[in-house]
């Protein structure tokens, strides 16, 4: 990590509210994105993704939905956290991460 990106304790503390809000927004964005993608890739008429306890869906479809959802959440979370940290650094001159 470059010396300019060494986090200070105050930057970590000040970034916490930003991180919490960005996590909430990221979760909402990921959820909406997953639902839209699932509507396009699902074979059935039901646009809602299957849950793990829904016996009317084959196991393969439930696992596929879980893998897709996990990948989308991970990518959205990474993008939002990274861009939030960059924005915080531009605003304060300090990198908030560890």
């Amino acid at each position: 990590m470059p010396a300019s990106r060494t986090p200070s304790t105050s930057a970590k503390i000040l970034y916490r509210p930003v991180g919490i809000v960005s996590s909430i927004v990221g979760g909402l964005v990921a959820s909406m994105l997953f639902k839209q993608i699932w509507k396009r890739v699902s074979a059935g008429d039901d646009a809602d993704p299957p849950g793990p306890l829904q016996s009317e869906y084959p196991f393969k479809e439930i696992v596929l939905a879980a893998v897709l959802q996990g990948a989308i959440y991970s990518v959205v979370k990474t993008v939002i956290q990274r861009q939030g940290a960059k924005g915080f650094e531009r605003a304060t001159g300090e990198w908030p991460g560890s």
Side-chain angles (χ1 to χ4, degrees):
M1 180 179 298
S4 65
R5 289 203 172 183
T6 303
S8 69
T9 303
S10 61
K12 287 181 180 182
I13 292 170
L14 289 173
Y15 184 72
R16 281 186 186 161
V18 174
I20 290 170
V21 170
S22 67
S23 291
I24 293 169
V25 171
L28 294 172
V29 168
S31 179
M32 291 184 332
L33 184 60
F34 171 65
K35 287 178 183 176
Q36 290 302 312
I37 291 172
W38 186 257
K39 283 181 189 178
R40 288 172 176 72
V41 301
S42 65
D45 293 331
D46 190 12
D48 291 332
L53 300 178
Q54 292 179 294
S55 62
E56 64 269 20
Y57 292 98
F59 183 70
K60 182 170 64 173
E61 189 173 352
I62 292 170
V63 171
L64 174 64
V67 167
L68 181 61
Q69 185 178 33
I72 290 169
Y73 273 83
S74 181
V75 169
V76 169
K77 178 182 174 185
T78 298
V79 169
I80 287 179
Q81 283 182 346
R82 183 66 175 200
Q83 295 306 314
K86 284 183 173 182
F88 184 85
E89 182 182 38
R90 279 193 300 274
T92 65
E94 292 192 54
W95 186 253
S98 52

